Amino acid sequence: NAGVTQTPKFQVLKTGQSMTLQCAQDMNHNSMYWYRQDPGMGLRLIYYSASEGTTDKGEVPNGYNVSRLNKREFSLRLESAAPSQTSVYFCASSEAGGGNTIYFGEGSWLTVV
Amino acid sequence: LAKTTQPISMDSYEGQEVNITCSHNNIATNDYITWYQQFPSQGPRFIIQGYKTKVTNEVASLFIPADRKSSTLSLPRVSLSDTAVYYCLVETYGGATNKLIFGTGTLLAVQP
């Protein structure tokens, strides 16, 4: 079972470069999320998508854009990367509505130099 | 969404029982309490969920007092492999919002 798949797993960017993190889930979930986790810190919600065609800001949306391409895929874009965006990024998915189990991907390690 | 408060870290030894308490003073009637576990370099994974009293599964037990303003995750006879960060979430079951906030969690360090 693939579950939630993220690509790339590792990436190094120069300041000002752009890139897109891809995420896909094969569990037919309605809701998808992007979190970031800085070293030694907890998870912070960047954006979420309650259902296909909708996206909403989380705790730390500045500097990011998202696209819910279809029910399976939810991408995160950094238009102009900054060193402060160096972090581990986790994509997740769940059935719609609170209280349902959230399934996470393995993470994408991003370094901005 | 109810705010949660957990200890930042806890230490234990192999074979001991570990109890991690989470405070959620403004929990609402329709809110459930869910705990996740995160190992280093991995995404969090679901451990247990409950509404009131006690819930037990093969991994842990969850104790919730009658007023539901706190909950305690109990890990029996921990091993080194239980070293991880444990997150407490309060969320409205079936609620329209999916704005799930994890917080900083509790780092459990199990020593030999």
Side-chain angles (χ1 to χ4, degrees):
Chain A
N1 294 332
V4 179
T5 304
Q6 298 178 227
T7 56
K9 192 167 180 66
F10 299 98
Q11 182 74 49
V12 178
L13 285 178
K14 293 183 179 180
T15 297
Q17 285 186 319
S18 62
M19 78 158 296
T20 300
L21 298 175
Q22 306 286 353
C23 176
Q25 51 92 7
D26 62 1
M27 295 172 281
N28 202 36
H29 285 161
N30 285 303
S31 300
M32 297 186 74
Y33 318 83
W34 275 106
Y35 290 88
R36 63 176 286 177
Q37 186 171 39
D38 300 331
M41 304 291 287
L43 294 156
R44 291 187 292 171
L45 182 65
I46 305 172
Y47 271 94
Y48 69 102
S49 171
S51 61
E52 184 179 356
T54 68
T55 60
D56 285 285
K57 295 178 180 179
E59 300 173 89
V60 288
N62 292 343
Y64 304 94
N65 286 303
V66 290
S67 296
R68 183 74 183 267
L69 304 172
N70 48 55
K71 192 171 186 179
R72 288 188 66 248
E73 298 173 289
F74 188 38
S75 63
L76 178 72
R77 182 162 179 84
L78 287 69
E79 290 291 352
S80 178
S84 61
Q85 294 178 303
T86 293
S87 191
V88 182
Y89 291 84
F90 289 100
C91 178
S93 72
S94 72
E95 296 287 354
N100 289 298
T101 300
I102 309 164
Y103 296 87
F104 283 82
E106 295 185 347
S108 296
W109 273 252
L110 175 65
T111 301
V112 183
V113 297
Chain B
L1 293 171
K3 177 179 169 59
T4 61
T5 303
Q6 306 174 230
I8 292 177
S9 63
M10 294 182 69
D11 293 321
S12 182
Y13 292 94
E14 282 191 294
Q16 288 186 331
E17 178 185 73
V18 171
N19 296 308
I20 305 174
T21 298
C22 178
S23 297
H24 28 80
N25 291 319
N26 58 339
I27 190 169
T29 302
N30 295 332
D31 288 345
Y32 277 68
I33 301 150
T34 311
W35 286 79
Y36 283 79
Q37 174 190 55
Q38 185 181 25
F39 295 117
S41 302
Q42 295 185 25
R45 66 172 190 170
F46 172 89
I47 302 177
I48 197 166
Q49 183 182 73
Y51 182 79
K52 61 180 179 180
T53 62
K54 176 184 176 182
V55 179
T56 298
N57 61 22
E58 65 278 6
V59 176
S61 294
L62 179 59
F63 298 91
I64 305 169
D67 66 5
R68 304 202 323 123
K69 293 183 182 300
S70 66
S71 59
T72 299
L73 175 72
S74 182
L75 304 172
R77 299 180 296 282
V78 295
S79 64
L80 295 176
S81 62
D82 291 315
T83 293
V85 177
Y86 293 82
Y87 296 95
C88 165
L89 273 73
V90 172
E91 43 184 332
T92 302
Y93 197 87
T97 179
N98 297 106
K99 199 169 184 176
L100 301 172
I101 307 299
F102 271 75
T104 56
T106 298
L107 173 59
L108 172 64
V110 180
Q111 301 176 40

